[in-house]
Every structure is written in C-alpha cells, then in structure tokens.
Amino acid sequence: MQKTEDNQFMYLFIALRPLMRGFDYCRPVVVVDGAHLGGAYKGCILPLAYGVVDTENDCSWTWFFEQFKNAFGERENMCIISDRNESIMKSVSIVFLNVPQCACIWHLWKNV
C-alpha cells in the first residue's frame, strides 16, 4: 500500500500467491483492463493482480507496473495488451523496457 506523507491512502496493489504461482504455467501475455473472451476463442482468465488507486494517471500506472514487476518479474516473450491508454503505454515503456505493447483488438473495434 502507498500512502501520502499525511498518511492518506493513495494506492493498493493486490496479487495473491496462488495467482503469482499460476502465472508460471501461462503464456506470458498480460492484459491490462477488462478481458473479453467469446466466440470461437473461449478461454480462462487468470486475474494476476488488482490495483486500487486514487485516479488513473501516469504516476498511479507507473506505481502499479513497478509493483507488478516486483511480484511477477519480466519473462521471456512477455507482452502487455491494453486499450492503448496514454498513461498505460507511457508507464509500461518506463517499467518494462524490453516488453512489447499490443493493442486490444476489441477496444480497437469498438473505437472504429
């Protein structure tokens, strides 16, 4: 948990140990945001981590990805999929220098 100097709540990161261990047996694809699996490509989603923040901005996303990296590390062939939110993209490029970012096709389709 992250607090201000005045002991006010700022951020909370939650990653349960069984989910952290389970990630070792999954493809290293991290989806940030909601995941929508339907149609021909059914599947299971492993909720790796949760973040509770005061607001979505560069600082909160950078903090979240730092905590994520501490908990899960950086794996070979890892990629991060998002809705291309500017703060997410900026934070991933700061915290995960060698991890490619991909656009969520569902979000792209909805925006077109």
Side-chain angles (χ1 to χ4, degrees):
M1 181 179 344
Q2 179 78 24
K3 297 180 183 179
T4 65
E5 292 178 5
D6 302 344
N7 206 28
Q8 299 284 323
F9 169 83
M10 283 183 63
Y11 312 133
L12 176 66
F13 179 84
I14 300 166
L16 302 175
R17 179 73 59 198
L19 302 176
M20 293 167 64
R21 283 192 219 132
F23 186 57
D24 291 339
Y25 302 97
C26 295
R27 291 183 181 167
V29 177
V30 178
V31 179
V32 180
D33 197 14
H36 309 276
L37 296 178
Y41 302 102
K42 303 273 186 217
C44 296
I45 298 171
L46 179 64
L48 298 175
Y50 300 93
V52 180
V53 298
D54 56 349
T55 185
E56 279 190 274
N57 58 33
D58 294 353
C59 291
S60 63
W61 276 115
T62 301
W63 183 85
F64 175 83
F65 284 114
E66 287 169 347
Q67 304 313 304
F68 188 90
K69 188 172 186 176
N70 287 337
F72 294 93
E74 185 174 328
R75 290 179 43 192
E76 184 179 345
N77 298 320
M78 184 173 168
C79 72
I80 297 178
I81 300 172
S82 74
D83 62 357
R84 306 291 286 171
N85 173 285
E86 189 174 319
S87 290
I88 292 173
M89 292 174 31
K90 186 180 205 179
S91 299
V92 169
S93 66
I94 291 169
V95 178
F96 290 101
L97 300 173
N98 300 313
V99 174
Q101 298 183 56
C102 304
C104 173
I105 194 70
W106 187 85
H107 283 96
L108 287 176
W109 180 71
K110 284 294 189 184
N111 290 331
V112 174

